[in-house]
Amino acid sequence: MSKPITVLRDTHPLPVLDACKWEKLEGDPHTVNLNAYTSEDGSKIMGTWICTPGKWYVDYVKWEYCHFQEGYCIITPQGLEPIHLRAGDIFVVEPGMKGTWEVVETVRKYFVFA
């Protein structure tokens, strides 16, 4: 069994550049992942994601918790109205969500994938 509690106070994640696997649709967006935690089996990840303006096609296979710290984006699930998200917003994306994710102003978000 892994440790029941992992304290991340002193983590120093290494930046991973442009690791995003989503399909770019518009602009020239670039990403930085600062993964502070990955479970032993790799199924859970948390950290910080930074992305410059651009638009992606997204197809979620995992659940994601997001807390926007900076920026502005528009997420448009297929067949639904656009959702405008700004710094301070907290939201969850369910597995199976497909659509577009447009970064209008550089985004910095805290995330948890599970």
Side-chain angles (χ1 to χ4, degrees):
M1 177 174 139
S2 63
K3 299 184 294 183
I5 297 175
T6 301
V7 178
L8 303 172
R9 184 178 305 122
D10 298 322
T11 61
H12 301 286
L14 297 175
V16 179
L17 304 177
D18 293 323
C20 189
K21 295 177 180 156
W22 294 339
E23 175 189 354
K24 291 180 186 180
L25 299 176
E26 293 176 14
D28 188 26
H30 293 279
T31 63
V32 177
N33 280 49
L34 300 167
N35 296 342
Y37 172 82
T38 302
S39 63
E40 287 182 20
D41 66 359
S43 67
K44 297 170 190 73
I45 303 168
M46 56 87 40
T48 300
W49 183 75
I50 302 163
C51 184
T52 61
K55 190 172 188 177
W56 309 84
Y57 172 76
V58 296
D59 182 356
Y60 273 77
V61 295
K62 289 186 162 197
W63 176 94
E64 182 184 17
Y65 162 92
C66 300
H67 180 183
F68 268 30
Q69 298 163 331
E70 297 174 12
Y72 167 51
C73 83
I74 303 167
I75 299 176
T76 307
Q78 284 180 346
L80 298 174
E81 294 295 315
I83 300 166
H84 297 259
L85 299 158
R86 292 179 172 81
D89 287 340
I90 298 172
F91 59 98
V92 170
V93 181
E94 297 290 342
M97 197 289 285
K98 295 179 183 181
T100 60
W101 182 302
E102 180 180 3
V103 174
V104 179
E105 297 171 2
T106 297
V107 164
R108 180 183 187 94
K109 71 172 181 171
Y110 172 78
F111 71 89
V112 177
F113 274 108

